Amino acid sequence: MALAQKAIIIGAGPAGLLLAHYLLRRGDQYCVELYERRPDPREGEMSQGRTFPISLQERGRKAMRAIPGLEEAVAAQSVFCQGSMIYRPQSKPRRIPRKNKILCIDRNQLVTILLQELTQRYSSDRLKIQFDSTCTQVDATAKTVTLESNTKEQFTTSYDVLIGADGAKSQVREFLVQNAGLECKQHYVPDAYKSLGVSRINPEKGLSAEPDVIHAWTLDNNTRLLLVPQPGDRLQGTLIFKAENNPLEGFSTPEQVFAFFQEKFPLCGELMTMEDADTLLQRQVARVLTVRCDRFHERDNILLIGDAAHAVSPSIGQGCNSALEDVFVLGQLLERYHDDWSQILPQFSEKRVPDAHALQDLSDYSFPRNKRLMFEFFLRLQLRRMLHHWFPQWVKPFLFDLVLDSDLSYSEVLRLNQGWINKVKRSLS
């Protein structure tokens, strides 16, 4: 019997953990080692400052569905949303229903579930997971990876296949850029953000936010607030703003933050406590780094997936969905080419690079920033929904519905909506 292939996965986020599930379900063909620079999320309280809500649609859920029982385990600790509620100054809230429910979960909670399911299903002789371990060097000739623990101890391990699932600042990708001619463009999106959380209910004021919609506000200066329902009657979300125009800049007390939310985001302000305001005040401003690569593999044994390959703006909520879809596509290729990585990896790049580039355009230019185009956006959405209902064979839904309610390739979604994307792009320039 052939020896099991040793797959080293750098990064134990959603994509890395799901890929471990996919490889280990293939019997004794693989043993997997996972290395993650962050601490183990199962031990102690994870910092809420570095987490954020994730909305999983058909792409991401389909990828989990391939592992029996996994989607159900995630769904049991999630909230299902049936659309969005859009709030704008001096306007009535606008409800945008979704054809399919969106599964909403905190990023750290998703990681914890994927991790627990993995360790429950597979023994330590096939699965090794080590946290607080940072990749510092890759030797493609010797097929080894050097890592450093949080105590600064270095160790080296060999691989048959190396997968970089280590996020937008991937060390595996950096090695390929420096040593293998990988072309990669990176830039920070113009927006910055702060994470926040509030209770969904204020019993003292008899107030509650709807439990089954994503709540979104946009101010005239493009400051946005996004709050996503979570289990336990919580709303977790982000305050998004231009990096050079932080609306909380200069605030030194939670009372100032509280007053700002009372004025600008009244519903959220009524749900916010002084403790919530103080927590938000203390949190660091974060930026999103986007990544665009010309390929996702090197030779027949190094692969990039998820944010390491194609980090995008979170504006349409596709970062995690596209990362999980990477794993689904890889799973199909493993079946088709019978685990022959010399065929799998070039095919993966050929299939996923065009979709990743399309997703970057969709993420950057789907959602308009001025009032006139915002009106047109909602008009197109409603009109296309109506026409699609009447003539489903002839009229496709509008861009957002195609992204959120279908698993149509990002390339095809972009092709069908290129005119709108160009229009938004021109408005921003």
Side-chain angles (χ1 to χ4, degrees):
M1 187 175 72
L3 291 173
Q5 295 189 70
K6 184 178 177 183
I8 301 292
I9 302 175
I10 306 297
L17 290 168
L18 185 63
L19 178 56
H21 277 279
Y22 270 65
L23 294 176
L24 290 171
R25 72 170 176 172
R26 301 184 67 73
D28 295 328
Q29 294 189 66
Y30 296 95
C31 60
V32 172
E33 293 183 10
L34 273 153
Y35 296 96
E36 168 59 50
R37 63 179 176 82
R38 294 184 178 96
D40 189 336
R42 298 167 298 180
E43 297 177 2
E45 285 293 319
M46 288 287 285
S47 167
Q48 291 299 304
R50 296 292 297 168
T51 191
F52 46 85
I54 285 173
S55 59
L56 293 173
Q57 299 106 34
E58 178 57 23
R59 299 166 201 279
R61 294 175 64 182
K62 180 177 67 175
M64 292 192 299
R65 210 173 291 141
I67 306 298
L70 195 57
E71 185 187 27
E72 291 81 358
V74 172
Q77 298 188 50
S78 305
V79 170
F80 286 92
C81 287
Q82 302 192 34
S84 302
M85 187 71 78
I86 309 296
Y87 304 84
R88 288 185 65 80
Q90 288 83 49
S91 301
K92 280 188 174 182
R94 182 192 293 266
R95 189 186 185 100
I96 303 179
R98 294 247 62 84
K99 176 184 174 185
N100 300 316
K101 292 181 180 180
I102 302 169
L103 189 153
C104 297
I105 186 169
D106 177 79
R107 190 261 184 199
N108 286 346
Q109 187 63 38
L110 175 61
V111 166
T112 299
I113 296 168
L114 292 172
L115 190 56
Q116 289 172 339
E117 290 289 322
L118 196 59
T119 54
Q120 287 170 10
R121 294 171 191 233
Y122 300 103
S123 62
S124 58
D125 61 331
R126 294 189 60 206
L127 171 67
K128 176 184 176 182
I129 305 174
Q130 189 163 326
F131 294 91
D132 297 305
S133 300
T134 302
C135 173
T136 59
Q137 187 176 340
V138 177
D139 186 331
T141 303
K143 295 173 68 173
T144 61
V145 182
T146 301
L147 300 108
E148 184 176 276
S149 71
N150 60 347
T151 59
K152 302 301 180 184
E153 294 178 19
Q154 292 202 339
F155 58 96
T156 299
T157 184
S158 62
Y159 63 83
D160 294 308
V161 181
L162 173 65
I163 298 102
D166 47 341
K169 297 182 179 179
S170 167
Q171 288 299 112
V172 178
R173 186 191 66 240
E174 186 59 25
F175 165 80
L176 296 180
V177 169
Q178 297 295 330
N179 300 280
L182 179 74
E183 292 185 13
C184 176
K185 296 179 180 177
Q186 302 175 63
H187 75 271
Y188 283 98
V189 300
D191 295 326
Y193 71 92
K194 276 194 169 195
S195 298
L196 77 155
V198 297
S199 174
R200 192 182 60 79
I201 300 169
N202 185 335
E204 292 181 5
K205 297 183 178 179
L207 184 69
S208 66
E210 290 193 45
D212 60 351
V213 294
I214 296 171
H215 301 269
W217 290 259
T218 300
L219 303 183
D220 290 339
N221 65 354
N222 283 324
T223 297
R224 281 115 54 214
L225 175 64
L226 187 74
L227 291 176
V228 181
Q230 301 289 303
D233 282 328
R234 291 288 293 172
L235 295 172
Q236 186 72 24
T238 50
L239 178 68
I240 307 162
F241 44 86
K242 290 285 187 184
E244 69 278 6
N245 188 28
N246 178 359
L248 307 183
E249 188 75 42
F251 288 7
S252 57
T253 68
E255 286 80 8
Q256 290 172 301
V257 175
F258 187 77
F260 170 80
F261 274 81
Q262 291 268 324
E263 178 189 355
K264 301 296 186 182
F265 309 108
L267 174 60
C268 181
E270 293 295 318
L271 298 170
M272 179 177 276
T273 66
M274 204 61 72
E275 183 182 358
D276 296 331
D278 189 46
T279 301
L280 176 60
L281 181 64
Q282 302 305 323
R283 283 193 180 140
Q284 295 295 311
V285 172
R287 298 289 302 274
V288 174
L289 181 67
T290 66
V291 173
R292 184 183 182 100
C293 298
D294 67 333
R295 67 183 192 280
F296 298 156
H297 77 285
E298 173 62 18
R299 304 184 187 179
D300 60 355
N301 53 29
I302 302 180
L303 174 67
L304 301 173
I305 62 171
D307 281 356
H310 50 74
V312 296
S313 159
S315 60
I316 58 172
Q318 290 304 295
C320 187
N321 284 281
S322 63
L324 299 181
E325 192 176 51
D326 282 348
V327 179
F328 181 80
V329 170
L330 186 61
Q332 291 179 316
L333 295 173
L334 286 165
E335 285 288 332
R336 184 178 306 161
Y337 295 109
H338 308 290
D339 300 273
D340 180 354
W341 290 84
S342 66
Q343 295 188 72
I344 291 167
L345 295 191
Q347 284 296 312
F348 182 84
S349 283
E350 186 175 325
K351 286 179 68 71
R352 292 305 281 168
V353 168
D355 277 346
H357 291 178
L359 176 58
Q360 194 165 69
D361 266 6
L362 293 170
S363 297
D364 289 346
Y365 304 115
S366 286
F367 208 65
R369 299 292 180 89
N370 66 52
K371 286 184 177 180
R372 182 182 60 80
L373 282 184
M374 187 71 75
F375 174 79
E376 183 179 340
F377 171 85
F378 286 119
L379 184 62
R380 283 174 179 254
L381 184 68
Q382 298 300 333
L383 186 60
R384 290 274 280 274
R385 280 184 176 181
M386 183 173 62
L387 292 174
H388 177 68
H389 178 73
W390 289 342
F391 312 107
Q393 291 180 311
W394 303 102
V395 181
K396 291 281 188 186
F398 187 45
L399 184 153
F400 262 40
D401 286 346
L402 288 176
V403 169
L404 300 182
D405 286 335
S406 80
D407 59 356
L408 192 67
S409 75
Y410 294 120
S411 300
E412 183 63 10
V413 174
L414 179 61
R415 187 189 69 80
L416 291 169
N417 293 275
Q418 190 68 66
W420 171 254
I421 294 297
N422 290 343
K423 196 169 193 175
V424 174
K425 193 180 293 188
R426 286 193 301 270
S427 76
L428 293 174
S429 64

